[in-house]
């Protein structure tokens, strides 16, 4: 099956137009949008495409597009201390340690407790927002989050300077990150408008339907517990003081760590794996980043990484792009 170009939508006139590729289409839309564009084009597993009301593209083999969504898992830990051990550096991270335990890889970071204060309204709203179901649930949850954000802004205006100074010099945050989780999620699509008269499925007809899959594999909970214990042992100087989270909020009762982990874990936003490079049925792209069983299209972004890396993905994606450009130069020759 030959891919010959892309269809675009003019943001001003809302008209669709097509761009033809002279050689190949290079898809670099990220771990969410790259699989979304392929799925809306009818490339994926036939039964899943049918469930999304998308006609599979004829002539191509089924590919597990959107599967294998992965991300690092972040677990916060906050300590009140009388020792100023974290600096206000541009990166917000004062110290970083890597370790491995029973096949699981972890990183421990030391920051002052204000490093991520801009996210406070999000965390507060997440903990306090109404958990309703029914036809008006989205509206009620949205209104509750806006109310919490407004209240946070008022409080910030009144007590921001002394409070942040106390947190900056009197508390530290020591997040634990699981770098090789076993859990996987999936990127899917949900139709939001009826098919047009042309019966062509377009990306704009769908919204993302993402199952992040965090901690869905029981081994990840065991790894987080092991990493927490290792952190307690190896980072005792960082943790010197009164532990607020999980210490005060989660008394050491049976099942406390599971509850703490499920309620407090955060995404690290290092998403990858949804158009994974791999062999035969397990992969969406091959080692040259070509879409399997299709001609004329390649994918080059974090979605092709088959597993999470032991570091943030930004520089890894830059290195991937550099290597991919070298590959294209070798294939096309100096004249192109």
């Amino acid at each position: 099956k030959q891919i010959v170009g892309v269809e675009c939508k003019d943001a001003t006139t809302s008209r669709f137009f097509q761009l033809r590729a002279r050689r190949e289409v290079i898809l670099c839309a990220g771990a969410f949008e790259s699989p979304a564009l392929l799925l809306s084009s009818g490339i994926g597993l036939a039964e899943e495409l049918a469930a999304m009301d998308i006609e599979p593209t004829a002539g191509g083999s089924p590919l597990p597009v959107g599967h294998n969504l992965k991300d690092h898992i972040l677990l916060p830990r906050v300590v009140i201390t009388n020792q100023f051990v974290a600096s206000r550096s541009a990166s917000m991270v004062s110290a970083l340690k890597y370790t491995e335990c029973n096949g699981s890889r972890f990183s421990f970071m030391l920051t002052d407790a204000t490093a991520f204060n801009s996210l406070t309204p999000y965390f507060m709203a997440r903990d306090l927002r109404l958990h309703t179901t029914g036809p008006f649930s989205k509206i009620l949850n949205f209104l509750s989050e806006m109310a919490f954000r407004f209240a946070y802004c008022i409080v910030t205006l009144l007590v921001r300077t002394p409070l942040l100074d106390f947190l900056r010099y009197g508390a530290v945050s020591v997040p634990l990150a699981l770098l090789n989780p076993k859990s996987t999620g999936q990127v899917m699509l949900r139709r939001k408008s009826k098919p047009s008269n042309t019966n062509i499925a377009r990306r704009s007809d769908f919204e993302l339907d993402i199952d992040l899959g965090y901690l869905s594999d029981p081994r990840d909970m065991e790894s987080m517990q092991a990493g927490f214990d290792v952190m307690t042992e190896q980072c005792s100087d960082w943790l010197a003081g009164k532990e607020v989270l999980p210490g005060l909020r989660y008394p050491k009762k049976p099942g406390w760590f599971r509850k703490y982990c499920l309620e407090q874990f955060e995404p690290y936003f290092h998403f990858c794996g949804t158009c994974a490079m791999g062999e035969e049925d397990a992969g969406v792209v091959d080692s040259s980043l070509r879409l399997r069983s299709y001609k004329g299209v390649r994918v080059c972004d974090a979605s092709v990484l088959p597993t999470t890396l032991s570091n943030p993905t930004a520089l890894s994606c830059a290195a991937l792009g550099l290597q991919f450009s070298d590959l294209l130069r070798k294939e096309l020759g100096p004249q192109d």
Side-chain angles (χ1 to χ4, degrees):
K1 188 69 176 181
Q2 178 74 36
I3 306 298
V4 296
V6 297
E7 185 177 75
C8 307
K9 184 178 181 179
D10 190 302
T12 304
T13 64
S14 296
R15 291 185 177 181
F16 291 93
F17 61 95
Q18 294 183 349
L19 298 175
R20 294 275 173 160
R22 186 163 62 96
R23 292 185 179 274
E24 290 181 306
V25 174
I26 310 297
L27 181 57
C28 309
F32 290 163
E33 284 299 332
S34 284
L37 288 168
L38 293 176
L39 289 169
S40 62
S41 302
I43 300 173
L45 299 179
E47 61 274 14
E48 294 179 354
L49 292 171
M52 301 175 205
D53 195 21
I54 299 174
E55 185 72 23
T57 299
S61 301
L63 298 174
V65 175
H67 288 241
N68 192 51
L69 174 62
K70 286 180 172 288
D71 183 23
H72 299 143
I73 303 175
L74 196 64
L75 189 64
R77 198 169 179 180
V78 180
V79 176
I80 294 177
T81 177
N82 59 3
Q83 301 180 27
F84 178 61
V85 293
S87 65
R88 288 172 283 174
S89 62
S91 67
M92 299 185 298
V93 177
S94 299
L96 185 62
K97 292 183 180 180
Y98 289 92
T99 190
E100 188 168 340
C101 177
N102 298 329
S104 296
R105 298 190 300 273
F106 305 94
S107 70
F108 309 140
M109 291 175 287
L110 176 64
T111 73
D112 68 61
T114 66
F116 303 100
N117 76 86
S118 61
L119 297 178
T120 301
Y122 163 76
F123 297 136
M124 183 170 65
R126 185 206 60 185
D127 286 342
L128 301 178
R129 68 159 62 107
L130 301 174
H131 293 283
T132 59
T133 58
F136 301 106
S137 60
K138 289 186 177 180
I139 296 176
L140 291 174
N141 286 330
F142 172 77
L143 291 176
S144 66
E145 181 171 345
M146 291 301 102
F148 291 129
R149 285 179 179 272
F150 177 76
Y152 173 77
C153 289
I154 296 299
V155 172
T156 299
L157 288 173
L158 296 176
V159 300
R160 179 179 178 83
T161 301
L163 177 61
L164 292 189
D165 281 347
F166 167 75
L167 291 175
R168 180 174 291 120
Y169 296 103
V172 294
S173 176
V174 190
L176 158 70
L178 176 60
L179 300 179
N180 60 337
K182 307 297 190 298
S183 301
T184 60
Q186 185 176 357
V187 173
M188 297 169 285
L189 297 177
R190 184 190 303 114
R191 185 175 285 279
K192 63 180 181 181
S193 61
K194 295 181 180 180
S196 61
N197 294 332
T198 60
N199 292 322
I200 297 175
R202 294 187 169 105
R203 173 65 184 91
S204 57
D205 296 333
F206 301 88
E207 59 185 7
L208 288 172
D209 184 9
I210 302 173
D211 174 15
L212 294 170
Y214 290 116
L215 299 173
S216 56
D217 191 312
R219 292 175 292 179
D220 286 344
M221 185 65 73
E222 297 173 3
S223 296
M224 294 297 280
Q225 175 74 74
F228 186 89
D229 294 340
V230 171
M231 172 189 279
T232 302
E233 178 182 344
Q234 294 187 3
C235 303
S236 57
D237 53 334
W238 294 0
L239 299 170
K242 179 63 177 178
E243 186 179 71
V244 179
L245 185 70
L248 295 181
R249 185 166 179 178
Y250 297 92
K252 302 301 188 291
K253 298 178 180 179
W256 75 270
F257 184 82
R258 178 178 177 82
K259 178 179 174 63
Y260 157 56
C261 199
L262 290 175
E263 291 182 354
Q264 297 298 326
F265 84 88
E266 299 296 338
Y268 213 158
F269 303 104
H270 296 157
F271 302 110
C272 65
T274 47
C275 298
M277 185 190 309
E279 300 297 330
E280 302 303 329
D281 296 339
V284 175
V285 300
D286 62 18
S287 58
S288 297
L289 305 188
R290 290 188 176 91
L291 197 64
R292 290 189 175 278
S293 77
Y294 292 84
K295 296 180 180 179
V297 61
R298 303 199 212 200
V299 184
C300 183
D301 54 37
S303 68
V304 305
L305 304 175
T307 188
T308 53
L309 305 175
S310 296
N311 58 284
T313 53
L315 288 178
S316 300
C317 287
L320 175 66
L322 180 62
Q323 291 290 78
F324 182 56
S325 66
D326 288 342
L327 174 64
L328 290 178
R329 281 199 297 268
K330 291 177 181 178
E331 289 184 358
L332 298 177
Q335 71 275 11
D336 292 314

